[in-house]
Short mmCIF file of all heavy atoms in Angstrom, two decimals:
data_model
loop_
_atom_site.label_atom_id
_atom_site.label_comp_id
_atom_site.label_asym_id
_atom_site.label_seq_id
_atom_site.Cartn_x
_atom_site.Cartn_y
_atom_site.Cartn_z
N PRO A 216 39.06 36.73 47.34
CA PRO A 216 38.46 37.17 48.58
C PRO A 216 37.95 35.99 49.41
O PRO A 216 37.64 34.92 48.85
CB PRO A 216 37.28 38.04 48.12
CG PRO A 216 37.62 38.43 46.72
CD PRO A 216 38.45 37.31 46.13
N GLU A 217 37.93 36.19 50.72
CA GLU A 217 37.44 35.13 51.58
C GLU A 217 35.94 34.94 51.38
O GLU A 217 35.25 35.75 50.78
CB GLU A 217 37.73 35.51 53.05
CG GLU A 217 39.20 35.52 53.43
CD GLU A 217 39.82 34.13 53.39
OE1 GLU A 217 39.08 33.19 53.65
OE2 GLU A 217 40.98 34.01 53.08
N LEU A 218 35.43 33.79 51.91
CA LEU A 218 34.04 33.50 51.73
C LEU A 218 33.13 34.49 52.47
O LEU A 218 33.51 35.06 53.49
CB LEU A 218 33.77 32.09 52.30
CG LEU A 218 34.30 30.90 51.50
CD1 LEU A 218 33.99 29.65 52.26
CD2 LEU A 218 33.73 30.87 50.14
N ALA A 219 31.97 34.68 51.91
CA ALA A 219 30.99 35.52 52.60
C ALA A 219 30.55 34.82 53.84
O ALA A 219 30.45 33.57 53.92
CB ALA A 219 29.79 35.76 51.67
N PRO A 220 30.25 35.55 54.94
CA PRO A 220 29.84 34.89 56.19
C PRO A 220 28.50 34.21 55.98
O PRO A 220 27.69 34.61 55.14
CB PRO A 220 29.70 36.10 57.17
CG PRO A 220 29.50 37.27 56.30
CD PRO A 220 30.28 37.01 55.04
N PRO A 221 28.24 33.14 56.75
CA PRO A 221 26.97 32.42 56.60
C PRO A 221 25.81 33.27 57.02
O PRO A 221 25.97 34.20 57.79
CB PRO A 221 27.14 31.22 57.56
CG PRO A 221 28.17 31.67 58.52
CD PRO A 221 29.10 32.55 57.81
N PRO A 222 24.61 33.03 56.46
CA PRO A 222 23.47 33.80 56.80
C PRO A 222 23.13 33.65 58.31
O PRO A 222 23.25 32.56 58.85
CB PRO A 222 22.33 33.24 55.92
CG PRO A 222 22.81 31.87 55.57
CD PRO A 222 24.28 31.95 55.52
N ALA A 223 22.69 34.77 58.92
CA ALA A 223 22.32 34.72 60.29
C ALA A 223 21.00 33.97 60.49
O ALA A 223 20.01 34.30 59.79
CB ALA A 223 22.24 36.15 60.85
N ARG A 224 21.00 33.01 61.37
CA ARG A 224 19.78 32.23 61.63
C ARG A 224 19.53 32.26 63.13
O ARG A 224 20.46 32.17 63.93
CB ARG A 224 19.91 30.79 61.15
CG ARG A 224 19.95 30.61 59.67
CD ARG A 224 20.00 29.11 59.31
NE ARG A 224 20.04 28.93 57.86
CZ ARG A 224 20.86 28.08 57.25
NH1 ARG A 224 21.71 27.42 57.95
NH2 ARG A 224 20.84 27.94 55.95
N ASP A 225 18.24 32.28 63.49
CA ASP A 225 17.92 32.17 64.89
C ASP A 225 18.07 30.70 65.31
O ASP A 225 18.28 29.79 64.49
CB ASP A 225 16.53 32.68 65.18
CG ASP A 225 15.44 32.01 64.40
OD1 ASP A 225 15.63 30.83 63.99
OD2 ASP A 225 14.40 32.64 64.10
N ALA A 226 17.93 30.46 66.62
CA ALA A 226 18.19 29.14 67.17
C ALA A 226 17.21 28.14 66.61
O ALA A 226 17.52 26.95 66.39
CB ALA A 226 18.13 29.17 68.69
N ARG A 227 15.97 28.57 66.38
CA ARG A 227 14.95 27.64 65.89
C ARG A 227 15.27 27.13 64.50
O ARG A 227 15.15 25.94 64.20
CB ARG A 227 13.57 28.33 65.93
CG ARG A 227 12.43 27.45 65.48
CD ARG A 227 11.13 28.20 65.47
NE ARG A 227 10.02 27.40 64.94
CZ ARG A 227 8.80 27.86 64.71
NH1 ARG A 227 8.52 29.14 64.94
NH2 ARG A 227 7.86 27.06 64.21
N LEU A 228 15.62 28.08 63.59
CA LEU A 228 15.90 27.68 62.22
C LEU A 228 17.21 26.84 62.19
O LEU A 228 17.31 25.89 61.39
CB LEU A 228 16.05 28.89 61.32
CG LEU A 228 14.75 29.56 60.90
CD1 LEU A 228 15.05 30.73 60.00
CD2 LEU A 228 13.82 28.59 60.20
N ALA A 229 18.20 27.18 63.01
CA ALA A 229 19.41 26.41 63.06
C ALA A 229 19.15 24.98 63.52
O ALA A 229 19.70 24.02 62.95
CB ALA A 229 20.42 27.08 64.00
N ALA A 230 18.26 24.83 64.47
CA ALA A 230 17.91 23.47 64.94
C ALA A 230 17.14 22.73 63.83
O ALA A 230 17.35 21.49 63.67
CB ALA A 230 17.03 23.56 66.20
N LEU A 231 16.34 23.43 63.09
CA LEU A 231 15.60 22.80 61.99
C LEU A 231 16.57 22.31 60.90
O LEU A 231 16.42 21.24 60.36
CB LEU A 231 14.54 23.76 61.42
CG LEU A 231 13.73 23.24 60.23
CD1 LEU A 231 12.98 21.94 60.64
CD2 LEU A 231 12.75 24.29 59.74
N VAL A 232 17.57 23.11 60.60
CA VAL A 232 18.55 22.73 59.58
C VAL A 232 19.33 21.50 60.05
O VAL A 232 19.55 20.57 59.28
CB VAL A 232 19.50 23.91 59.25
CG1 VAL A 232 20.66 23.44 58.39
CG2 VAL A 232 18.74 25.02 58.57
N ASP A 233 19.70 21.48 61.32
CA ASP A 233 20.41 20.31 61.86
C ASP A 233 19.54 19.08 61.76
O ASP A 233 20.07 17.95 61.49
CB ASP A 233 20.80 20.55 63.31
CG ASP A 233 21.94 21.58 63.42
OD1 ASP A 233 22.68 21.75 62.45
OD2 ASP A 233 22.06 22.17 64.52
N LEU A 234 18.29 19.23 61.99
CA LEU A 234 17.36 18.06 61.89
C LEU A 234 17.20 17.60 60.42
O LEU A 234 17.30 16.37 60.17
CB LEU A 234 15.98 18.46 62.45
CG LEU A 234 14.85 17.43 62.24
CD1 LEU A 234 15.14 16.14 62.99
CD2 LEU A 234 13.50 18.03 62.65
N LEU A 235 16.97 18.52 59.52
CA LEU A 235 16.75 18.17 58.11
C LEU A 235 18.00 17.58 57.48
O LEU A 235 17.89 16.63 56.68
CB LEU A 235 16.25 19.38 57.33
CG LEU A 235 14.94 20.00 57.75
CD1 LEU A 235 14.62 21.21 56.90
CD2 LEU A 235 13.78 19.00 57.64
N LEU A 236 19.17 18.10 57.81
CA LEU A 236 20.41 17.61 57.22
C LEU A 236 21.02 16.58 58.15
O LEU A 236 22.13 16.71 58.71
CB LEU A 236 21.41 18.72 56.96
CG LEU A 236 21.23 19.38 55.56
CD1 LEU A 236 19.99 20.28 55.57
CD2 LEU A 236 22.45 20.16 55.17
N SER A 237 20.27 15.50 58.36
CA SER A 237 20.71 14.39 59.22
C SER A 237 20.14 13.11 58.58
O SER A 237 19.28 13.14 57.71
CB SER A 237 20.28 14.57 60.64
OG SER A 237 18.86 14.44 60.75
#
Side-chain angles (χ1 to χ4, degrees):
E217 292 293 329
L218 290 177
R224 290 184 180 134
D225 57 27
R227 181 183 176 187
L228 284 181
L231 178 59
V232 171
D233 288 338
L234 171 66
L235 296 179
L236 272 76
S237 69

